[in-house]
Amino acid sequence: MSHRTAGPVRSIATATGVSALGVVFSVLLSIPVFVVSLDLVTQFVAALVLSELGFVAAALVFLRVTRRGLGYLDIGLLDRRALGFVIAGTVGLFVFRIAAILAAQAAGLPLAGNSVTQLAEEGLLVTLLALVPLSILVIGPAEELLFRGVVQRYLAESLPEFGAVALASVLFALVHVPTTFVATPDPLAVGVTLAILFGLSMLLGYLYVWTDNLLVPILVHGFYDALLFALAYAALSSDGLPTVVA
């Protein structure tokens, strides 16, 4: 089915609205978790899963309203080429993260934490272990479905390639403002962390562009987060507390 291409202004407004809808759905879906009696770890995991499903819900609403359907999503096979991009992309994200954090530290800039680092600091290291499989099964698929599969692809219908990737990355970074600011209410620290998230998102965006396969950024995002949380668990177990930028 062919779709009418919207103008740049309308595309940006729609993409922003869909991203905001994802945040609203995430909040609404996670509210019930905090009104029932659950232990802290179970509450955290349940809230995380439900909040990530909010991004999925926003993506599905967009596909439904615009009559694009699930066929709009570029989900391909994991062939040898795609697997190569997954491996290289995961390594690339780690290299970028390390370089960005070292650069921030060298410049004397602060970095923000998030709810995960708060729980870890309180001794609940099991949350980090729980996030390893959740990163691959929930976080990566949910966030990439919305920000690459829907937002970036929609923006690319009316904007140049770089513009679509950059704007989708800006929106991706901005939806992380609440969790980073609550954990670290320092505007400069939040700004530095969001800049790193923007860079990571740009890499994910171009992985999607280069492969035309949404499965690639989904897996890269999931594996990157999973390895990050696993390494954070190992470091914390050794009395080292890294800054988590997931």
Side-chain angles (χ1 to χ4, degrees):
M1 179 184 293
S2 61
H3 305 284
R4 180 184 301 175
T5 301
V9 174
R10 182 177 177 183
S11 293
I12 294 171
T14 300
T16 302
V18 172
S19 301
L21 186 63
V23 174
V24 172
F25 282 165
S26 293
V27 172
L28 293 177
L29 287 174
S30 61
I31 286 176
V33 174
F34 299 100
V35 297
V36 296
S37 179
L38 296 172
D39 64 86
L40 193 57
V41 174
T42 301
Q43 185 183 70
F44 170 79
V45 171
L48 174 69
V49 172
L50 290 173
S51 65
E52 292 293 333
L53 289 179
F55 295 135
V56 176
L60 294 177
V61 166
F62 170 86
L63 295 175
R64 175 66 176 178
V65 171
T66 62
R67 299 183 180 180
R68 279 166 166 78
L70 294 177
Y72 183 74
L73 304 174
D74 292 319
I75 300 179
L77 298 175
L78 188 63
D79 55 19
R80 182 176 298 179
R81 178 175 180 271
L83 181 59
F85 272 103
V86 169
I87 296 172
T90 304
V91 173
L93 259 64
F94 265 96
V95 171
F96 174 84
R97 177 181 182 271
I98 292 171
I101 289 177
L102 289 176
Q105 291 175 340
L109 297 173
L111 292 167
N114 55 32
S115 57
V116 178
T117 56
Q118 285 183 316
L119 289 173
E121 287 173 339
E122 294 171 4
L124 296 174
L125 296 184
V126 68
T127 57
L128 293 173
L129 289 180
L131 282 166
V132 173
L134 288 175
S135 294
I136 300 171
L137 300 175
V138 179
I139 299 175
E143 296 186 3
E144 293 307 304
L145 174 66
L146 178 59
F147 291 100
R148 243 58 63 183
V150 166
V151 171
Q152 181 177 314
R153 182 173 181 187
Y154 178 70
L155 287 170
E157 293 177 4
S158 59
L159 297 176
E161 180 181 285
F162 176 80
V165 176
L167 282 172
S169 297
V170 168
L171 293 171
F172 174 84
L174 288 177
V175 300
H176 290 82
V177 169
T179 55
T180 54
F181 191 81
V182 168
T184 310
D186 178 348
L188 180 58
V190 171
V192 174
T193 299
L194 293 185
I196 296 176
L197 286 171
F198 171 80
L200 293 169
S201 183
M202 287 289 290
L203 291 172
L204 289 167
Y206 273 104
L207 284 172
Y208 182 36
V209 169
W210 294 331
T211 61
D212 288 320
N213 186 350
L214 185 59
L215 186 60
V216 171
I218 283 176
L219 291 176
V220 170
H221 190 156
F223 287 141
Y224 164 78
D225 279 2
L227 289 172
L228 190 63
F229 291 127
L231 290 173
Y233 175 82
L236 284 167
S237 299
S238 302
D239 297 325
L241 182 60
T243 300
V244 177
V245 182

